[in-house]
Amino acid sequence: DQQVKQNSPSLSVQEGRISILNCDYTNSMFDYFLWYKKYPAEGPTFLISISSIKDKNEDGRFTVFLNKSAKHLSLHIVPSQPGDSAVYFCAASASGSARQLTFGSGTQLTVLP
Amino acid sequence: KAGVTQTPRYLIKTRGQQVTLSCSPISGHRSVSWYQQTPGQGLQFLFEYFSETQRNKGNFPGRFSGRQFSNSRSEMNVSTLELGDSALYLCASSPRTGGGGYTFGSGTRLTVV
């Protein structure tokens, strides 16, 4: 039972255009969401997060949108750069003492020059 | 400051053997979590240790175990290896328990033949 789903295993975008990565979740107890980026042979690195009390968080070229009613979040990258090519993981956690992260299966983003 | 260090980087074991993986967290971080990454499955949570105590455990068989030492270094052990245990095993450290402020290591690539 996948509580966090990334239904697109891959996405290709032209350099300079917008990349939109999507993530859906089923557990209504999740109240904190994160995006990680992973290059081959490296561990995931934290990118951006959002709390359920917000519907948008922005950090430079990266913006995360949260739609709680639809249990959906998305990561927008504008403008996309070739160095953004990586696997992007969506993760979620619920408040409480056991705030473990539940990850999606990842989306491979390829930014074409 | 030094990041999260996982050793070894690569490992090849035979089915039925056991294996021990090591993780040294960032200095001052007391929480260590372990994840398994397989193609198409994303990151699956194995367990979290904080101050030498297992705080949370994922849905993995008892063949997967771990421990944490007084210096916060952690080891993960897998006994009676199966072909399906071939994966990238990632360790993440955090200054506090419960999933916040994760920093991942580069992982140990385990291949079971």
Side-chain angles (χ1 to χ4, degrees):
Chain A
D1 174 32
Q2 274 193 302
Q3 298 186 64
V4 178
K5 298 179 185 179
Q6 294 177 256
N7 292 317
S8 298
S10 63
L11 173 69
S12 291
V13 170
Q14 208 67 37
E15 180 179 4
R17 306 294 289 268
I18 184 172
S19 294
I20 300 177
L21 296 98
N22 293 303
C23 179
D24 297 294
Y25 62 96
T26 58
N27 188 340
S28 58
M29 299 301 291
F30 288 149
D31 60 1
Y32 189 62
F33 305 89
L34 310 90
W35 284 94
Y36 281 82
K37 180 169 74 173
K38 186 180 183 302
Y39 294 115
E42 294 182 14
T45 55
F46 171 75
L47 202 53
I48 192 170
S49 64
I50 187 167
S51 165
S52 61
I53 62 173
K54 294 185 175 182
D55 54 18
K56 176 183 173 181
N57 189 26
E58 194 171 350
D59 184 3
R61 297 186 296 113
F62 302 90
T63 303
V64 56
F65 295 91
L66 175 63
N67 182 333
K68 290 186 290 292
S69 60
K71 293 191 176 67
H72 176 84
L73 65 156
S74 60
L75 174 68
H76 292 210
I77 306 173
V78 183
S80 300
Q81 300 173 354
D84 296 329
S85 297
V87 177
Y88 289 78
F89 290 99
C90 164
S93 72
S95 59
S97 60
R99 197 184 252 285
Q100 70 184 64
L101 294 180
T102 301
F103 283 84
S105 54
T107 296
Q108 170 69 58
L109 173 66
T110 302
V111 180
L112 305 167
Chain B
K1 60 183 176 182
V4 178
T5 304
Q6 291 188 245
T7 56
R9 288 296 306 273
Y10 302 93
L11 206 48
I12 299 176
K13 287 287 188 178
T14 303
R15 193 171 48 180
Q17 287 186 311
Q18 67 93 28
V19 67
T20 300
L21 312 181
S22 178
C23 173
S24 294
I26 290 174
S27 177
H29 284 195
R30 296 165 62 194
S31 168
V32 173
S33 296
W34 289 88
Y35 285 82
Q36 180 196 65
Q37 184 191 2
T38 53
Q41 290 295 315
L43 282 74
Q44 305 287 316
F45 174 74
L46 281 155
F47 27 66
E48 183 202 4
Y49 286 87
F50 182 83
S51 295
E52 302 177 64
T53 302
Q54 187 181 88
R55 291 301 183 99
N56 205 0
K57 190 176 191 304
N59 189 25
F60 277 82
R63 299 185 297 107
F64 292 80
S65 63
R67 59 177 175 170
Q68 187 179 34
F69 302 95
S70 58
N71 62 357
S72 294
R73 190 177 72 85
S74 177
E75 288 182 346
M76 190 192 95
N77 185 276
V78 187
S79 63
T80 319
L81 283 165
E82 301 177 357
L83 297 178
D85 297 332
S86 296
L88 179 67
Y89 290 88
L90 291 160
C91 159
S93 77
S94 171
R96 57 192 178 278
T97 186
Y102 270 168
T103 301
F104 281 87
S106 299
T108 294
R109 171 71 64 184
L110 171 65
T111 302
V112 182
V113 298

